[in-house]
């Protein structure tokens, strides 16, 4: 029997769908019955990070709902919400797996990244809190964060993705310009450190290697479930 996966979603719904889709696509199955059992709680009422106490409360409640439903571990397709990953873990009796830690661990296991500078595309909160920077502290991997003006464009890009704008995202041209600048400076890889960013990967027209934490989380979840 495979383990039941719990997805704490809703931040945002498209990113939650993306994780579910990638789990399905990365499961070796020839019949419906060979796919993995998954509970998804798409809680779209989790407040914005600025309402931190309310947001944490809703995250813990959501995680406990999944645990009560019988899932055997929980994953969460929202990088920013991982600022409360320790509090969520403490509230559970089942494992909660961090996509941030997983991403850094995966890169450090790859000789191609051990001594590289990697650009982080994420929300301002994720960048300011230092989620990815802290995860690779005391390692050879260096996280590069955009300048304030560039971060403002990234924030607007993410907001438009949440509003359903992908190919028609009005900030794609500006984002591609930012990425080209970093590529010319010798930074050849980026982390999609907001779960909306990988939804844009096919529209980022540059030669940078694009690291998708959602995909890494999906593949890990399949292994854990099996």
């Amino acid at each position: 029997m495979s383990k039941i996966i719990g997805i704490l979603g809703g931040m945002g719904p498209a990113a939650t769908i993306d994780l579910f889709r990638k789990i399905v696509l990365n499961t070796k199955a020839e019949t419906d019955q060979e796919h993995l059992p998954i509970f998804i709680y798409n809680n779209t009422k989790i407040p914005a990070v600025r309402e931190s106490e309310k947001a944490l409360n809703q995250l813990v409640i959501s995680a406990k709902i999944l645990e009560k439903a019988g899932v055997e571990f929980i994953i969460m397709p929202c990088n920013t919400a991982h600022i409360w990953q320790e509090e969520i873990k403490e509230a559970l009796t089942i494992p909660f797996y961090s996509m941030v830690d997983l991403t850094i661990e995966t890169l450090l296991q790859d000789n191609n990244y051990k001594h590289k500078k990697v650009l982080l595309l994420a929300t301002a909160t994720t960048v300011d809190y230092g989620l990815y920077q802290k995860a690779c502290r005391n390692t050879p991997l260096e996280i590069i964060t955009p300048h304030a003006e560039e971060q403002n464009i990234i924030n607007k890009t993410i907001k438009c993705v949440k509003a359903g704008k992908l190919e028609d995202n009005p900030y794609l041209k500006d984002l591609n310009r930012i990425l080209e600048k970093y590529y010319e400076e010798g930074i050849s890889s980026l982390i999609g450190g907001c779960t909306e960013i990988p939804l844009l990967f096919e529209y980022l027209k540059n030669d940078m290697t694009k690291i998708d934490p959602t995909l890494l989380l999906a593949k890990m979840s399949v292994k854990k479930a099996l």
Side-chain angles (χ1 to χ4, degrees):
M1 292 290 291
S2 56
K3 293 181 179 179
I4 303 172
I5 301 171
I7 298 178
L8 202 175
M11 307 163 282
T16 303
I17 293 170
D18 188 42
L19 175 59
F20 176 58
R21 176 177 175 273
K22 285 169 179 170
I23 290 174
V24 172
L25 292 178
N26 285 278
T27 303
K28 291 183 179 179
E30 295 183 1
T31 66
D32 293 343
Q33 293 73 25
E34 292 177 344
H35 278 279
L36 300 169
I38 302 172
F39 271 103
I40 301 173
Y41 184 22
N42 191 56
N43 186 355
T44 57
K45 303 306 178 185
I46 296 173
V49 174
R50 60 181 174 271
E51 300 179 65
S52 58
E53 188 174 335
K54 292 180 181 178
L56 174 58
N57 184 54
Q58 278 298 311
L59 288 167
V60 170
I61 289 172
S62 300
K64 287 185 173 180
I65 286 172
L66 287 168
E67 183 176 34
K68 190 174 181 180
V71 307
E72 289 162 273
F73 64 87
I74 293 175
I75 53 178
M76 181 170 64
C78 175
N79 288 268
T80 302
H82 278 70
I83 63 177
W84 296 292
Q85 62 183 351
E86 295 306 320
E87 289 87 343
I88 296 171
K89 288 178 182 178
E90 289 174 6
L92 298 169
T93 60
I94 57 174
F96 172 91
Y97 295 116
S98 165
M99 72 190 308
V100 176
D101 293 342
L102 170 66
T103 301
I104 297 301
E105 288 167 6
T106 302
L107 294 183
L108 289 173
Q109 290 167 6
D110 188 332
N111 288 328
N112 293 318
Y113 292 100
K114 280 189 176 179
H115 298 278
K116 269 196 174 180
K117 294 180 179 180
V118 181
L119 178 67
L120 176 64
L121 296 185
T123 64
T125 302
T126 297
V127 172
D128 293 343
Y129 190 80
L131 271 176
Y132 278 90
Q133 300 94 309
K134 291 174 184 176
C136 68
R137 187 177 291 163
N138 300 321
T139 75
L141 187 66
E142 183 180 353
I143 298 296
I144 303 300
T145 57
H147 303 305
E149 183 181 341
E150 297 166 341
Q151 184 61 53
N152 185 46
I153 291 171
I154 294 165
N155 292 342
K156 290 177 179 178
T157 304
I158 292 169
K159 186 175 181 180
C160 285
V161 174
K162 287 182 176 291
K165 295 183 183 296
L166 296 176
E167 187 175 8
D168 59 342
N169 194 306
Y171 296 98
L172 267 179
K173 185 176 180 179
D174 289 333
L175 183 59
N176 275 305
R177 175 178 50 79
I178 291 169
L179 298 182
E180 189 59 34
K181 186 204 81 168
Y182 280 99
Y183 186 75
E184 290 175 356
E185 292 174 358
I187 300 171
S188 59
S189 302
L190 69 85
I191 296 174
C194 170
T195 42
E196 273 71 37
I197 293 294
L199 299 175
L200 291 175
F201 274 0
E202 64 180 296
Y203 308 112
L204 300 182
K205 307 301 183 183
N206 60 77
D207 294 323
M208 296 183 84
T209 299
K210 300 168 185 66
I211 300 152
D212 181 354
T214 306
L215 179 59
L216 296 177
L217 191 63
K219 290 181 175 180
M220 181 217 68
S221 299
V222 171
K223 290 180 181 179
K224 295 285 185 184
L226 293 174

